Amino acid sequence: MTSLFHSDPVGLPGLAALALGFLTFFAALMAARWRATKVPKVADASSNRRSWIWIIVQGLGIGIAGAGRIQVSLDPMSPKALIEGAVVLVLMLGAVWLFNASSRTMGKNWSLVARTREDHQLVQTGPFAVVRHPIYVALFQFLLAMAISYGHARQLIFAIPVYAFATWMRVRYEERLLRAQFGADYDAYATRVKRFVPGVF
């Protein structure tokens, strides 16, 4: 069991890329929350507060990818360290872009927990024209970037199933609310656009 939590050697480029990406991601999250405070208050058409449970479990999955010792022993200029840094940077920039674009496209519809507003609109543009749940894709990229930059690739054996299960539960709640509000329009959208991987799944 301990071998699964053994840290592989990593270099500073990957850690620096993760730190930069995390700060940018956090800024994008705070900006989304700030935009949400500027939207006129409207009663919820429906909501599901139990989604907080699955938000916490998603966080646990991400935490598993990052938990444990970090062995920073690679030469920062070695090919392995530079490649890891480049991969982490691409994953983090992709995650930040996807989250920011998604939250901006959702506008007044964005929230942390599963809910629909009385004036809710079915968003089908921006990243939502490609996949139905782009923010969860962004969080998965963050999970992968953390595991790579910390040298915790083995921990993905546990982290990915935990994150995937919690995400599936959130998706079930959210899609139930959207289907209840938009009916055939949501069914048509769901038929046309896949959940996570364009044209596949």
Side-chain angles (χ1 to χ4, degrees):
M1 178 68 80
T2 55
S3 64
L4 292 173
F5 289 92
H6 172 75
S7 297
D8 295 320
V10 296
L12 291 176
L15 295 173
L18 184 74
L20 176 64
F22 178 79
L23 290 174
T24 311
F25 193 95
F26 182 76
L29 176 60
M30 291 300 101
R33 290 187 60 113
W34 179 81
R35 287 193 299 272
T37 65
K38 302 302 178 184
V39 174
K41 296 294 182 184
V42 173
D44 287 351
S46 57
S47 64
N48 193 313
R49 300 298 174 185
R50 283 179 294 179
S51 60
W52 273 114
I53 296 169
W54 304 113
I55 291 172
I56 292 168
V57 178
Q58 277 182 317
L60 176 62
I62 295 171
I64 290 170
R69 189 170 66 98
I70 304 171
Q71 184 182 341
V72 186
S73 58
L74 290 181
D75 178 350
M77 299 307 294
S78 68
K80 187 173 188 296
L82 293 174
I83 290 170
E84 282 181 355
V87 170
V88 171
L89 185 63
V90 168
L91 285 169
M92 289 304 295
L93 290 178
V96 171
W97 179 85
L98 201 50
F99 174 81
N100 188 57
S102 300
S103 62
R104 286 182 177 277
T105 302
M106 290 182 76
K108 64 186 179 183
N109 299 325
W110 183 83
S111 72
L112 286 175
V113 297
R115 70 167 176 86
T116 54
R117 295 162 52 104
E118 287 186 350
D119 62 347
H120 204 97
Q121 297 172 337
L122 180 58
V123 179
Q124 304 180 57
T125 59
F128 296 91
V130 182
V131 291
R132 300 200 317 259
H133 301 282
I135 290 177
Y136 299 150
V137 176
L139 291 175
F140 183 67
Q141 290 179 268
F142 183 88
L143 180 154
L144 292 178
M146 181 179 291
I148 293 168
S149 65
Y150 287 178
H152 295 169
R154 292 175 181 85
Q155 290 167 218
L156 292 175
I157 295 170
F158 300 103
I160 289 176
V162 171
Y163 178 81
F165 178 70
T167 298
W168 181 251
M169 295 302 294
R170 290 190 71 183
V171 162
R172 284 183 60 209
Y173 287 136
E174 291 172 10
E175 292 189 354
R176 190 179 303 157
L177 295 179
L178 290 168
R179 189 165 277 112
Q181 183 151 344
F182 298 106
D185 287 341
Y186 185 78
D187 288 336
Y189 171 61
T191 299
R192 189 176 70 254
V193 179
K194 298 297 184 182
R195 286 188 174 99
F196 305 113
V197 181
V200 179
F201 173 65

